[in-house]
Amino acid sequence: VVGLQSIDRSNRSAAIGYWLGRNSSGQGIMRAAVASTLRYAFEQLHLHRVVICCAEGNARSRAIPEALGFRHEGVARDAEWLYDHYVDLHVYAKLATDVR
């Protein structure tokens, strides 16, 4: 599952969220889906900024924005309640003006 969230038309920004079952990971499926969603965000919706946030311990999730040329902007501490505790979120962003 991949989708655009928190679309802010006045600032031309949005976030991409995604989830993939363990049996399907490691096949490039999510990277392709996020790349397609990113193209749609920039080319069809004319957004300027797209953000992806990934939990601290989720290396596979963090690999997606890193592979797609997103810039790591920092860490939001205790930003999300996950299961039974707070986790830090790594914040990545890509601008329409960045090299694609």
Side-chain angles (χ1 to χ4, degrees):
V1 177
V2 62
L4 287 169
Q5 307 166 341
S6 306
I7 297 173
D8 180 342
R9 297 251 182 227
S10 61
N11 288 306
R12 295 177 41 217
S13 65
I16 293 180
Y18 47 88
W19 179 88
L20 187 66
R22 289 182 192 247
N23 294 340
S24 300
S25 67
Q27 300 175 36
I29 296 167
M30 190 53 68
R31 181 179 175 180
V34 171
S36 179
T37 303
L38 186 63
R39 275 192 307 278
Y40 176 77
F42 288 142
E43 296 172 8
Q44 301 299 313
L45 299 180
H46 305 289
L47 298 181
H48 176 68
R49 176 181 165 86
V50 176
V51 174
I52 294 177
C53 295
C54 305
E56 170 70 32
N58 194 337
R60 286 187 182 264
S61 184
R62 291 181 59 194
I64 302 295
E66 290 169 2
L68 294 175
F70 280 67
R71 183 179 293 179
H72 186 256
E73 294 189 329
V75 177
R77 299 178 326 139
D78 281 358
E80 181 176 70
W81 182 259
L82 185 62
Y83 308 118
D84 62 352
H85 63 284
Y86 285 101
V87 295
D88 294 348
L89 293 180
H90 286 262
V91 180
Y92 295 87
K94 188 161 186 135
L95 304 179
T97 54
D98 289 343
V99 176
R100 290 190 234 171

